[in-house]
Amino acid sequence: MGALDSPEHPHIDWAGRWLEGRTGWHRDETNSHLVEFAPRVQKICGKEKLRTFVPLCGKTVDMLWLRKQGHQVVGVDLIHKAIEEFVSCNKLPSFYSVALNSTDQPLTICTAGEKNPISLYVSDIFNLDRDTLGTVDFIWDSGSFVAFDYSMRQKYVEYIKSITQPGSCILLEKLDYDRQAIPPFCFSGPPFSTSDDELQSLYGEHFDIECLHSECLLEATAKRFTGIKVRMETSTVLLVRK
């Protein structure tokens, strides 16, 4: 495995993508579904200020919006450059430190902002355990679940289960497209497709699942994700830990 490869995805050069600016998934505006459905999460959790975890956060500006609402935000990304760009692009005062998780593995932490700072970990997500994270009320998963290939999904779901407790909420964004309609070697992900049945199979035992929004993308829009024109449906799903 090369130095720039992800340990979870040895075939995906995430660091290379960041170094070369191939980050087509990044958006400069706050996700409208987060803005729309966050109040629903607050109502379920029974409080206004939530400890919010953003897995595979990259440099998403959603973290700024969450912080502005008064939430305590924790993000994690494997790629140091992603965290650096988030800090520099948003002109946030920051400092770096190192902490140990419960198995004594070192974690680089970037504390960004002064009032209600955002805690950003540069780490393999699976090294960021519950003892390190603390109590998680809400997970905003707009690009993490879809980044894990099918062989890693069960491990990812088990991890999410390990850092949540009854009443914890997840807003998860997923894509569903016909994998058989894509010619071999043209596109295999990420983002990886997930049907409603697959999501139920993965999460249904420990989470109540409700689809809050879904829409079909134009083939030209879907091409931005896959590189080819294909019918694609996007969904925002609410999961509540049982």
Side-chain angles (χ1 to χ4, degrees):
M1 183 175 69
L4 295 181
D5 295 330
S6 159
E8 298 90 6
H9 313 290
H11 61 293
I12 301 174
D13 181 8
W14 289 110
R17 292 186 180 196
W18 278 99
L19 288 170
E20 296 167 11
R22 292 185 287 123
T23 55
W25 60 85
H26 175 71
R27 293 292 171 264
D28 292 327
E29 64 281 343
T30 303
N31 188 298
S32 61
H33 298 142
L34 171 62
V35 175
E36 180 178 0
F37 298 122
R40 174 83 176 271
V41 171
Q42 290 170 293
K43 185 175 181 180
I44 293 171
C45 291
K47 50 186 173 181
E48 292 186 1
K49 311 304 181 186
L50 307 176
R51 184 164 176 81
T52 301
F53 180 45
V54 185
L56 274 59
C57 60
K59 58 178 181 179
T60 177
V61 296
D62 295 345
M63 293 189 289
L64 294 177
W65 183 85
L66 287 161
R67 175 190 179 217
K68 188 175 181 180
Q69 310 313 304
H71 303 303
Q72 187 179 11
V73 182
V74 180
V76 62
D77 204 283
L78 180 71
I79 308 303
H80 200 287
K81 184 172 174 58
I83 302 302
E84 287 181 333
E85 288 193 14
F86 174 76
V87 169
S88 61
C89 289
N90 297 295
K91 299 180 173 59
L92 296 173
S94 63
F95 67 89
Y96 287 84
S97 58
V98 176
L100 298 178
N101 69 4
S102 60
T103 58
D104 293 331
Q105 292 172 303
L107 303 168
T108 299
I109 310 170
C110 173
T111 304
E114 294 175 337
K115 184 179 180 181
N116 190 19
I118 299 171
S119 297
L120 300 167
Y121 290 85
V122 183
S123 172
D124 174 348
I125 188 173
F126 298 114
N127 290 338
L128 196 60
D129 54 29
R130 184 168 185 162
D131 289 340
T132 307
L133 273 174
T135 301
V136 174
D137 301 308
F138 172 39
I139 298 175
W140 170 231
D141 190 340
S142 63
S144 184
F145 174 75
V146 297
F148 283 87
D149 69 27
Y150 308 110
S151 67
M152 292 294 299
R153 284 194 166 172
Q154 190 61 54
K155 180 179 180 180
Y156 179 75
V157 172
E158 288 299 317
Y159 170 73
I160 293 298
K161 186 177 71 172
S162 76
I163 63 170
T164 54
Q165 60 282 326
S168 295
C169 291
I170 304 170
L171 282 179
L172 181 148
E173 300 219 307
K174 74 177 186 71
L175 300 171
D176 190 5
Y177 52 83
D178 184 0
R179 301 168 208 170
Q180 304 303 316
I182 300 177
F185 309 113
C186 284
F187 175 79
S188 59
F192 295 97
S193 176
T194 310
S195 69
D196 293 340
D197 287 343
E198 288 172 318
L199 193 74
Q200 180 66 39
S201 176
L202 287 165
Y203 281 99
E205 181 179 356
H206 298 284
F207 291 85
D208 292 319
I209 302 172
E210 179 184 355
C211 182
L212 301 180
H213 175 84
S214 65
E215 62 180 301
C216 289
L217 298 181
L218 296 173
E219 288 188 347
T221 304
K223 186 178 180 181
R224 175 169 59 83
F225 294 98
T226 63
I228 62 174
K229 290 185 177 181
V230 63
R231 184 184 180 278
M232 181 179 291
E233 181 180 82
T234 66
S235 302
T236 303
V237 181
L238 172 66
L239 301 99
V240 182
R241 180 73 189 273
K242 297 177 182 178

